[in-house]
Amino acid sequence: MKRNSRLSSTLHILVHMAETPGRALTSEQLAAFIHTNPVVVRRTIAGLRDAGIVTSARGHGGGWLLGRAPEAISLAEISVALGETLLPFSTEPESPGCLVEQAVIAVLDEFRVEAEKLLEQKLSLITLADLTADFRRRYDLIGVSSHAV
């Protein structure tokens, strides 16, 4: 099964943003954190901006800032802003006339709806501040500045 790393990459970016409060980070800087192209970061950030999770600072020294305190940003909200399902399967029909697909959807759709609700409930309990606190704790244990990574 192909792994979707979009949420984990986005969380990586947001933890770095939370670690540098009040300092705008450019798409190039954020891209360097996750070893990708700045265009990928800008596409991802667009959904986060529309949800109010991040804001942009224009002009010299511009870049991206958190739109709210990390304590006020839940993983569920981030997931919704990305517009992707976190489940490893979808019940959206690809071939509506296919009887096998209809049978699979009939069996799995109720389970998918229930699983998505449970996942969203759990993700609503975890904030960006929780991730940042754990990140800091781990780096304190190994004695490295959290800004070095």
Side-chain angles (χ1 to χ4, degrees):
M1 176 184 319
K2 184 178 176 187
R3 180 177 166 225
N4 182 345
S5 62
R6 190 165 181 217
L7 179 63
S8 61
S9 294
T10 301
L11 294 175
H12 194 122
I13 287 169
L14 291 172
V15 167
H16 280 286
M17 292 173 79
E19 281 289 293
T20 56
R23 182 174 150 230
L25 296 172
T26 66
S27 298
E28 290 76 15
Q29 290 170 314
L30 296 172
F33 293 137
I34 59 171
H35 309 289
T36 193
N37 188 300
V39 172
V40 173
V41 170
R42 285 190 283 275
R43 283 187 197 137
T44 299
I45 294 277
L48 300 176
R49 181 189 55 224
D50 293 345
I53 295 169
V54 299
T55 62
S56 59
R58 301 203 185 277
H60 181 69
W64 299 101
L65 297 159
L66 288 180
R68 296 191 304 277
E71 299 80 15
I73 302 171
S74 74
L75 269 58
E77 182 180 11
I78 295 166
S79 170
V80 169
L82 291 175
E84 294 185 6
T85 181
L86 298 176
L87 297 177
F89 65 89
S90 171
T91 55
E92 292 295 318
E94 292 178 16
S95 304
C98 177
L99 296 179
V100 172
E101 184 174 318
Q102 290 172 18
V104 169
I105 289 172
V107 170
L108 291 181
D109 195 51
E110 184 178 335
F111 168 76
R112 181 197 53 79
V113 169
E114 185 177 327
E116 281 181 342
K117 284 180 187 176
L118 288 171
L119 185 56
E120 187 173 345
Q121 287 171 358
K122 293 292 185 184
L123 290 177
S124 293
L125 300 174
I126 304 168
T127 67
L128 182 56
D130 297 326
L131 296 182
T132 303
D134 189 68
F135 171 72
R136 285 186 196 135
R137 181 188 62 78
R138 290 172 187 276
Y139 271 88
D140 287 347
L141 288 174
I142 62 171
V144 175
S145 167
S146 60
H147 298 289
V149 176

